[in-house]
Amino acid sequence: MISLDGVSVSFGDVSVLENISLSVEAGEFVGLVGPNGAGKTTVLRTLNGVLGADSGRITVAGKQVGECSAKELSQAVATVPQNTHVGFSFTAEQIVEMGRTPHRSRLDWSDDIGPVEEAMAQTDTLSLRDRAVDSLSGGERQRVLLARALAQNPAVLLLDEPTASLDINHQIQVLELVTDVVGGERTAIAAIHDLDLAARFCDRLVLLADGGIRAEGSPEAVLSSLALDEAFGIETAISENPVTGTPAVSAIHDRPTQSRRVHVVGGGPGATVAIRTLWRAGYEVTLGVVPAGDVSASLAAQLGIPTVTAPAFTEPGPAVQQEAARLSEAADVVVITDGPGATYNADSTTAKQVYADLGGAGPRMARVDGGDQSVVTTPSELRETINTVLES
Amino acid sequence: MRLVLRTLWWSVALFVLLWVAVLVSAAIGSVRLDIPTVARATLNTIAVPASISLESTSAGIGSLRTTVPVPDITYRSVFSFEVANSDQAIVGTLRLPRIALAALVGFALATAGTVMQGFFRNPMADPSIIGVSSGAAVGAVATIVFPLTMPFGLQTAAFAGGLITAFAVYLIATENGRTPVATLLLAGVAIQAFLSAVISYMMLRAGDSLEQVVLWLMGNLRNSQWSEVEATVPLVVGLFLILLAYSRDMNVLLLGEEDAQALGIEVERTKKLLLAGSAVITAAAVAVAGVIGFVGLIVPHMMRLLVGPDHRILLPTSALAGAIFLVVADTIARSGPAVVPVGIITATVGAPFFLFLLRRREVHEL
């Protein structure tokens, strides 16, 4: 349906896209992701003929972009712009009717209300038809612009940051609308900067950075690839959205690196708070023994933390205990939190120990280095205490 | 057919109003006439082409003379009502040519103003924004001040001056085949400033012809001839129809150039056509009537309040409203206690009205 073959685009001397090749099948919903300035919008503007490519071949819906007229291309390709400021107060219906322009002759002024109403019904904008478009909210305007694109009856729908200025409710609404209208012979490409939304709604993601394609494939594959971290120049952690089951990306900013090791004993919510706190502070964290499937174990997996697990509701075997002991002995500090794993090896002797209760309403007890007692009940207290222990 | 019907109704209503304005205007003057007499005399004036023959006329610049064929059209009157000869002369040869020219110029300026406001997406845009009026003024003032150096008549010089200036502004603002609207606007402003300096210098050197220059610069419909109407009608009506055909494209261009391109408009080609069309129609109007401000600025705003922003209805209704506005303004100009140039009337009425629109928030950021 869409193919780019060795396409390069530049603005003056600045190269924006370099030798991009991409092909999209009919009925696919492809998300373009990548950092600001990666060239996502440029790809869309090249596909709809607004920008001319310096080299390469672009074919959309059987038409070669650059060879056919704007009118011919716009009968097959519709664009939902990122932000349209409409001068003068056109009504929503007039805006949607402009979507019919590619299909009408210049002198045919008769009404073409059928496709307009159909597009407005699809996007739930019929109730806005007589409202001035500059009086609509961002979400309403985005739906009207989507209706305008649908009125073009396009084979290919291009969306430039369709959710950029919307609240979470409208983000979901708009993208669900897009997935509803895509399929069969209708294909969509959207530039989306929200990685979680892209992963949730798109069939396939294309990661762009510095004018080139860095990764391409299923949302899980693209988001968990190292290319993502390189493209954004930041460490990311992938988890699973508990509701939708789609990947969710968290960016970690400016994590300092410390050579000290901290071993965490105990699982459950308390341990996850401790792990998160210590990992953010830059320590090399290890964990165990915890029951397999514990929340702390899945967090540790996302952060790439070495973990020793034992099947739930069983005593850990000697091999497992030994492995946990090896980790705790290698650590500079052992943090013992209140949780299911705490009983397994609470009496590790070699490292300095911090008892922390970060999980909830249990007894607030903390013992540092086997002797001093102080209450460690918040992440910041934990950080401070560990600092003190390591300095002494 | 809602839009077509709405356009027709508004146009018919405004057309009727225009005829009322014409008849009332023709009745007003140093000799007061009653409306029935004026109506009969006006109908007597209507003529249709009876025969067309080609005649050779000598034309050229300086010593370069050549003969060109010029169509010679003879007209035949359609009606012959009883009207006193003197009344017929007052209406038919004194007042009607002036009224017809006022209507035509108002029609042209409002058309160009509507197109320019849409084109520039700017409420302050009017037909003179790309320097057409200033260029035409240089041509006209030069002819008045240095009559011997100019080989053409005043109208030709003004028309040519306007078009050359518009083309120069366009060339300055065009780079790599693209003409950014903002560059065009700024280039137009700069050229206008330069040309007004040229005009000021020529006025200093004008001597006895200064009054004539000032009258022309303020818009002048005095001594209008049927020949001027005949020369302007085909140009104005023809260009209006071409621009009207592009009114849907103008709507879409209001969404921004990228959106327009994505909706199948050949943006640069359409911009060129709109620019050329409104430049020629403005130059034609300025050439026969001098610089008349505010018609092209306020009439489109007024009509946008009444009929909305869709150019398919806005363009024809603005054009007709422009014609009515200038007929009325010129009637006031020539029948007041002191005869003043029509440009003074349009500005004194137009500026307060524009401020009123500004307060009504009709004219705000576009």
Side-chain angles (χ1 to χ4, degrees):
Chain A
M1 183 55 71
I2 300 169
S3 91
L4 288 97
D5 191 10
V7 173
S8 299
V9 177
S10 57
F11 296 150
D13 298 335
V14 185
S15 167
V16 186
L17 294 180
E18 275 172 59
N19 198 18
I20 293 238
S21 295
L22 174 69
S23 96
V24 178
E25 300 300 316
E28 264 192 303
F29 182 10
V30 171
L32 297 176
V33 296
N36 294 338
K40 296 176 301 231
T41 303
T42 308
V43 170
L44 299 182
R45 291 167 82 204
T46 312
L47 286 172
N48 70 12
V50 167
L51 282 180
D54 298 341
S55 61
R57 245 175 90 96
I58 306 154
T59 323
V60 180
K63 297 174 207 283
Q64 201 177 337
V65 179
E67 302 286 304
C68 63
S69 70
K71 182 165 181 156
E72 208 183 316
L73 185 63
S74 63
Q75 287 168 356
V77 182
T79 310
V80 179
Q82 180 171 10
N83 190 12
T84 287
H85 173 65
V86 182
F88 304 114
S89 303
F90 283 104
T91 63
E93 188 181 329
Q94 284 173 317
I95 296 287
V96 177
E97 202 209 336
M98 290 186 198
R100 299 300 301 160
T101 309
H103 300 281
R104 311 295 302 282
S105 94
R106 180 161 280 125
L107 294 175
D108 179 8
W109 287 9
S110 59
D111 290 338
D112 193 12
I113 206 67
V116 172
E117 282 189 339
E118 194 186 324
M120 295 190 87
Q122 258 180 310
T123 53
D124 194 22
T125 47
L126 272 175
S127 57
L128 309 172
R129 64 194 301 172
D130 294 320
R131 294 262 305 275
V133 76
D134 52 7
S135 73
L136 299 180
S137 74
E140 291 168 335
R141 186 155 43 213
Q142 196 69 37
R143 295 208 315 266
V144 169
L145 291 175
L146 185 60
R148 187 187 83 191
L150 291 178
Q152 272 177 267
N153 192 24
V156 172
L157 200 56
L158 305 175
L159 302 109
D160 192 2
E161 301 287 4
T163 57
S165 54
L166 304 182
D167 62 43
I168 45 170
N169 174 20
H170 287 101
Q171 287 181 341
I172 306 288
Q173 259 188 28
V174 165
L175 286 174
E176 273 179 349
L177 257 170
V178 174
T179 42
D180 283 349
V181 299
V182 168
E185 283 302 298
R186 184 171 286 154
T187 311
I189 299 191
I192 304 182
H193 73 247
D194 187 316
L195 296 170
D196 299 358
L197 284 175
R200 183 165 158 191
F201 289 98
C202 298
D203 303 320
R204 195 150 68 89
L205 294 187
V206 173
L207 173 68
L208 285 166
D210 301 325
I213 293 177
R214 297 287 173 258
E216 190 186 336
S218 71
E220 292 80 7
V222 169
L223 293 192
S224 53
S225 68
L226 269 179
L228 189 78
D229 291 21
E230 278 166 26
F232 285 93
I234 195 171
E235 264 189 87
T236 57
I238 307 291
S239 58
E240 193 184 89
N241 182 315
V243 179
T244 60
T246 52
V249 178
S250 315
I252 299 106
H253 252 296
D254 299 332
R255 189 166 89 94
T257 43
Q258 309 220 24
S259 53
R260 304 302 193 108
R261 284 180 74 154
V262 179
H263 183 71
V264 177
V265 175
T272 59
V273 175
I275 292 170
R276 213 174 277 138
T277 309
L278 297 167
W279 190 83
R280 276 213 203 118
Y283 295 107
E284 284 182 43
V285 185
T286 54
L287 173 71
V289 181
V290 292
D294 188 75
V295 280
S296 61
S298 53
L299 173 65
Q302 287 157 23
L303 298 177
I305 287 172
T307 308
V308 181
T309 56
F313 307 115
T314 57
E315 272 297 308
V320 172
Q321 296 222 13
Q322 216 171 5
E323 174 65 9
R326 194 182 62 74
L327 287 180
S328 71
E329 272 154 36
D332 297 294
V333 184
V334 174
V335 173
I336 299 168
T337 66
D338 191 25
T343 54
Y344 296 153
N345 49 0
D347 45 295
S348 167
T349 47
T350 49
K352 296 175 176 175
Q353 296 178 353
V354 174
Y355 291 87
D357 173 19
L358 304 166
R364 306 219 153 166
M365 186 274 290
R367 200 176 74 220
V368 178
D369 199 14
D372 303 333
Q373 292 214 353
S374 62
V375 181
V376 178
T377 54
T378 65
S380 57
E381 271 179 323
L382 178 67
R383 265 199 310 271
E384 276 167 32
T385 312
I386 292 208
N387 269 339
T388 330
V389 173
L390 287 173
E391 274 163 24
S392 65
Chain B
M1 299 309 286
R2 293 174 307 164
L3 177 90
V4 177
L5 275 182
R6 223 161 83 82
T7 308
L8 275 178
W9 273 118
W10 270 99
S11 302
V12 167
L14 286 167
F15 196 70
V16 169
L17 205 58
L18 175 62
W19 276 104
V20 172
V22 167
L23 292 179
V24 171
S25 173
I28 295 172
S30 49
V31 179
R32 294 247 164 189
L33 300 170
D34 54 24
I35 297 286
T37 312
V38 170
R40 281 197 297 274
T42 305
L43 287 172
N44 284 346
T45 317
I46 293 175
V48 290
S51 67
I52 299 175
S53 63
L54 283 182
E55 218 170 68
S56 289
T57 310
S58 149
I61 302 166
S63 56
L64 291 167
R65 292 263 150 204
T66 175
T67 50
V68 288
V70 171
D72 183 49
I73 308 168
T74 50
Y75 291 93
R76 189 166 49 81
S77 293
V78 187
F79 304 100
S80 48
F81 293 104
E82 282 289 309
V83 181
N85 275 346
S86 60
D87 292 353
Q88 180 67 48
I90 288 171
V91 173
T93 46
L94 290 179
R95 290 184 189 165
L96 275 184
R98 178 168 181 161
I99 294 168
L101 202 63
L104 203 57
V105 167
F107 189 92
L109 291 177
T111 301
T114 310
V115 175
M116 286 291 98
Q117 281 171 14
F119 182 95
F120 284 103
R121 301 214 272 166
N122 187 317
M124 282 310 292
D126 77 348
S128 61
I129 199 144
I130 47 169
V132 181
S133 304
S134 307
V138 169
V141 173
T143 327
I144 298 170
V145 178
F146 315 111
L148 295 178
T149 60
M150 299 298 285
F152 328 102
L154 185 144
Q155 278 99 335
T156 318
F159 187 66
L163 288 190
I164 290 168
T165 310
F167 193 61
V169 169
Y170 171 78
L171 283 185
I172 291 168
T174 302
E175 202 179 348
N176 301 329
R178 293 186 98 98
T179 317
V181 164
T183 318
L184 198 62
L185 195 74
L186 292 173
V189 170
I191 293 281
Q192 277 189 66
F194 174 76
L195 292 180
S196 60
V198 173
I199 294 168
S200 301
Y201 176 75
M202 286 196 291
M203 283 169 78
L204 279 179
R205 307 287 305 273
D208 294 342
S209 53
L210 182 62
E211 191 188 345
Q212 213 186 331
V213 170
V214 171
L215 279 179
W216 193 90
L217 286 178
M218 289 178 176
N220 181 18
L221 287 162
R222 267 194 250 184
N223 307 323
S224 302
Q225 306 293 319
W226 279 119
S227 62
E228 288 174 312
V229 178
E230 280 167 30
T232 323
V233 162
L235 205 55
V236 169
V237 173
L239 286 169
F240 168 77
L241 290 176
I242 292 173
L243 291 170
L244 188 63
Y246 275 81
S247 50
R248 191 207 298 273
D249 303 51
M250 284 184 236
N251 288 346
V252 179
L253 267 176
L254 276 181
L255 299 175
E257 291 182 16
E258 285 201 7
D259 279 26
Q261 173 88 33
L263 286 167
I265 306 292
E266 302 283 358
V267 171
E268 289 302 326
R269 204 184 64 194
T270 309
K271 274 163 66 183
K272 238 178 272 178
L273 184 132
L274 296 180
L275 211 53
S278 48
V280 175
I281 208 169
T282 308
V286 177
V288 292
V291 182
I292 299 176
F294 276 99
V295 181
L297 182 65
I298 61 154
V299 171
H301 280 301
M302 199 167 65
M303 291 317 295
R304 207 173 279 118
L305 266 184
L306 293 172
V307 302
D310 190 330
H311 282 94
R312 287 173 290 181
I313 181 164
L314 180 64
L315 193 65
T317 51
S318 288
L320 287 168
I324 298 170
F325 179 73
L326 203 59
V327 167
V328 172
D330 187 51
T331 309
I332 299 170
R334 67 180 163 83
S335 61
V339 175
V340 292
V342 65
I344 291 182
I345 303 294
T346 57
T348 43
V349 176
F353 186 73
F354 191 79
L355 293 174
F356 163 74
L357 291 177
L358 197 65
R359 298 294 298 185
R360 279 277 312 264
R361 310 272 315 148
E362 161 63 12
V363 183
H364 48 119
E365 37 123 23
L366 291 177

